[in-house]
């Protein structure tokens, strides 16, 4: 094979669509340091997830100020976990090279490691900050779908995470993809060792695109359903089933799967997650149907309402003991959810003004009573005049 027949390394093609791009994985350079599109796309996905998640916290009965610590910890845990998972599964390539282990700018993050790391650190912080875990998992699932749906496009810029050869109209190829296939199909290469039969000349499945579309579609569906969820944790379980099903299928197409013998680790894990999620949903649905009162949404509890109101008072400058509302019931607070499960801020504002307005309203009551008395007297006189006539 002559290397002159290969595409340029930065060239990407979708032959049947007639698309041809030249995409440099390096976006720009700052003081001699290359900034990769991969990192930019991952960061963009994270920012968009936060933009959506933070304003929606109250829908799940959570205080965003209290939860931000868990979110930050989860992000850090996710990045570290994703890298550790990937490196451990490819330890032969990284052992003894600590600089390579720390270098994530060229990719090398495993999504399941990221989920495990994010959940582990996030849940520890939830325990410390006394944040309800199940509603936190629900809102986290929506953020994960946004982050994954956007973040997968980082694989496009790196020409990685592609699948086997295909004749599909979505089939793609590129200079880096062709070189990866050519090298990996040599004796001792990953694809050769895994028993794949790949041709560098043919297009491959754009697995990053499949997963991106699936995750964004899942986000739309679960965001809609989150307003109608029946119990805390339902959205997270639905996320596990939705993503597990997709990853099981797409992982079977991938050429760079992390392997344990002849088993694709992510594919096997996806199957287990999907089955476990479906079973748990059936169990919780049956429990909810038998005993609805045992699975009240946290957003509908006094504890949730009190914590959110205390946080709002602190934002208004009320500090210390004055911000606490111990002993006040929901009826006293007059906090209700609207059709979108979000609190009505005008109703919450009325609560803060109650204490200041009580003294002003008290003297006004006799005057109101006097007005009513005058109106009644006028009505009686009118009736008497009608009788005289």
């Amino acid at each position: 094979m002559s290397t002159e027949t290969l595409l340029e390394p930065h060239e990407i093609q979708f032959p049947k669509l007639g698309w041809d791009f030249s995409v440099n994985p390096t976006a720009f350079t700052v003081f001699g340091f290359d900034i990769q599109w991969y990192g930019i796309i991952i960061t963009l996905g994270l920012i968009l997830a936060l933009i959506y998640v933070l304003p929606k916290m109250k829908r799940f009965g959570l205080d965003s100020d209290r939860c931000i610590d868990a979110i930050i910890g989860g992000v850090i845990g996710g990045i570290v976990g994703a890298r550790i998972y990937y490196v451990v599964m490819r330890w032969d390539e990284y052992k003894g090279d600590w600089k390579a282990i720390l270098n994530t700018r060229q990719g090398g993050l495993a999504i399941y490691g990221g989920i495990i790391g994010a959940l582990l650190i996030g849940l520890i912080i939830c325990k410390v900050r006394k944040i309800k875990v199940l509603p936190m998992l629900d809102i986290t699932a929506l953020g994960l779908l946004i982050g994954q749906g956007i973040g997968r496009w980082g694989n496009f810029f790196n020409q990685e995470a592609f699948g086997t050869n295909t004749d599909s109209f979505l089939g793609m190829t590129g200079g880096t993809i062709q070189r990866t296939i050519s090298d990996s199909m040599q004796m001792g290469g990953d694809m050769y060792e895994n028993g794949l039969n790949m041709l560098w000349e043919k297009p491959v499945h754009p697995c990053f695109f499949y997963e991106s579309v699936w995750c964004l579609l899942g986000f739309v569906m679960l965001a809609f359903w989150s307003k109608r969820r029946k119990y805390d944790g339902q959205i997270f379980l639905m996320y596990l089933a939705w993503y597990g099903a997709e990853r099981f299928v797409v992982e079977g197409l991938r050429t760079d799967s992390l392997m344990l013998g002849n088993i694709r680790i992510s594919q096997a894990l996806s199957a287990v997650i999907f089955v476990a999620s479906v079973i748990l949903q059936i169990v919780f649905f049956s429990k909810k149907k038998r005993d609805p009162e045992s699975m009240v949404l946290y957003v509908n509890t006094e504890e949730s309402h009190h914590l959110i109101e205390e946080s709002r008072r602190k934002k208004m400058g009320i500090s210390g003991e004055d911000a606490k509302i111990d002993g006040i019931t929901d009826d006293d607070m007059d906090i209700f959810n609207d059709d979108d499960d979000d609190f009505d801020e005008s109703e919450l504002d009325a609560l803060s003004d109650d204490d200041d307005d009580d003294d002003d309203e008290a003297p006004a009551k006799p005057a109101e009573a006097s007005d009513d008395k005058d109106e009644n007297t006028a009505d009686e006189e009118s009736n008497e005049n009608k009788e005289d006539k």
Side-chain angles (χ1 to χ4, degrees):
M1 178 193 67
S2 172
T3 56
E4 294 179 356
T5 61
L6 298 171
L7 297 175
E8 291 297 319
H10 297 162
E11 188 175 359
I12 298 176
Q13 293 182 353
F14 289 82
K16 293 195 174 182
L17 295 175
W19 296 346
D20 193 326
F21 309 95
S22 180
V23 180
N24 191 329
T26 300
F28 52 87
T29 301
V30 178
F31 301 118
F33 186 77
D34 292 338
I35 305 299
Q36 304 295 317
W37 277 113
Y38 183 87
I40 293 175
I41 297 298
I42 295 294
T43 303
L44 176 62
L46 173 61
I47 292 173
L48 292 177
L50 291 175
I51 289 174
Y52 175 82
V53 163
L54 290 177
K56 299 295 182 183
M57 286 289 183
K58 285 190 290 186
R59 176 185 295 173
F60 296 83
L62 300 172
D63 170 27
S64 58
D65 289 344
R66 186 183 295 264
C67 293
I68 194 66
D69 295 339
I71 293 174
I72 294 173
V75 170
I76 296 173
I79 295 173
V80 174
R83 187 57 174 175
I84 290 175
Y85 188 100
Y86 185 86
V87 170
V88 168
M89 293 303 170
R90 293 179 175 269
W91 182 242
D92 289 340
E93 301 176 16
Y94 289 95
K95 60 182 179 182
D97 190 352
W98 294 102
K99 289 184 178 179
I101 291 175
L102 299 175
N103 182 17
T104 62
R105 294 184 301 120
Q106 300 296 330
L109 300 176
I111 185 62
Y112 276 129
I115 293 175
I116 293 170
L119 291 180
L120 180 62
I121 301 302
L123 293 179
I124 290 175
I125 296 177
C126 283
K127 182 71 174 177
V128 173
R129 295 284 283 147
K130 298 180 180 179
I131 301 168
K132 287 295 182 180
V133 169
L134 291 180
M136 187 65 186
L137 287 176
D138 281 339
I139 189 64
T140 297
L142 297 176
L144 283 173
L145 286 170
I146 296 175
Q148 290 172 256
I150 301 299
R152 272 302 174 190
W153 283 88
N155 300 137
F156 168 77
F157 287 93
N158 281 354
Q159 296 188 46
E160 61 186 3
F162 55 85
T164 54
N165 293 132
T166 180
D167 292 324
S168 168
F169 74 97
L170 289 174
M172 69 175 290
T173 189
T176 299
I177 291 173
Q178 291 177 344
R179 287 167 175 78
T180 300
I181 294 174
S182 178
D183 294 340
S184 297
M185 285 304 297
Q186 303 297 319
M187 187 174 294
D190 287 345
M191 296 181 190
Y192 178 85
E193 293 296 326
N194 292 335
L196 295 174
N197 185 18
M198 296 285 293
L199 298 174
W200 66 266
E201 302 94 333
K202 294 189 63 176
V204 297
H205 283 287
C207 292
F208 79 91
F209 178 72
Y210 300 157
E211 185 159 332
S212 175
V213 171
W214 188 263
C215 287
L216 294 177
L217 178 60
F219 163 73
V220 173
M221 293 173 59
L222 295 189
F224 173 80
W225 185 254
S226 68
K227 304 174 186 179
R228 296 157 179 79
R229 68 193 188 283
K230 305 303 179 184
Y231 54 87
D232 290 320
Q234 184 180 24
I235 302 302
F236 183 68
L237 289 176
M238 293 174 73
Y239 159 76
L240 292 179
W242 181 261
Y243 183 68
E246 173 271 326
R247 191 58 186 269
F248 179 82
V249 174
V250 173
E251 193 67 27
L253 300 173
R254 294 266 296 259
T255 59
D256 60 344
S257 298
L258 299 175
M259 306 292 290
L260 185 60
N262 294 324
I263 300 175
R264 296 173 184 261
I265 298 174
S266 293
Q267 191 174 39
L269 186 57
S270 297
V272 172
I273 288 174
F274 175 80
V275 172
S277 173
V278 171
I279 292 174
L280 288 174
Q281 288 184 68
I282 293 173
V283 171
F284 291 144
F285 177 79
S286 300
K287 183 178 180 180
K288 176 69 175 179
K289 191 173 182 180
R290 291 195 312 270
D291 186 11
E293 298 300 324
S294 67
M295 302 184 73
V296 176
L297 289 171
Y298 181 64
V299 68
N300 294 329
T301 65
E302 287 190 9
E303 177 184 321
S304 169
H305 296 175
H306 286 195
L307 289 175
I308 292 175
E309 173 60 13
E310 285 181 9
S311 176
R312 194 185 72 92
R313 289 186 172 194
K314 289 177 181 178
K315 289 178 182 178
M316 296 171 58
I318 304 175
S319 60
E321 294 297 322
D322 294 335
K324 295 184 179 181
I325 50 179
D326 295 336
I328 299 179
T329 66
D330 278 354
D331 291 337
D332 297 327
M333 292 172 66
D334 194 26
I335 296 179
F336 300 98
N337 296 337
D338 59 21
D339 293 337
D340 194 37
D341 291 332
D342 293 325
F343 293 110
D344 188 338
E345 294 292 347
S346 63
E347 291 172 350
L348 288 174
D349 289 336
L351 174 62
S352 313
D353 298 335
D354 282 348
D355 295 338
D356 298 334
D357 294 344
D358 283 346
D359 294 339
D360 296 335
E361 290 177 358
K365 289 182 180 178
E368 292 175 358
S370 176
D371 291 342
D372 292 341
K373 183 175 180 181
D374 292 341
E375 291 177 0
N376 292 335
T377 302
D379 289 341
E380 291 174 0
E381 292 176 354
S382 176
N383 290 336
E384 288 175 358
N385 291 336
K386 289 179 180 179
E387 290 175 359
D388 292 341
K389 291 180 180 179

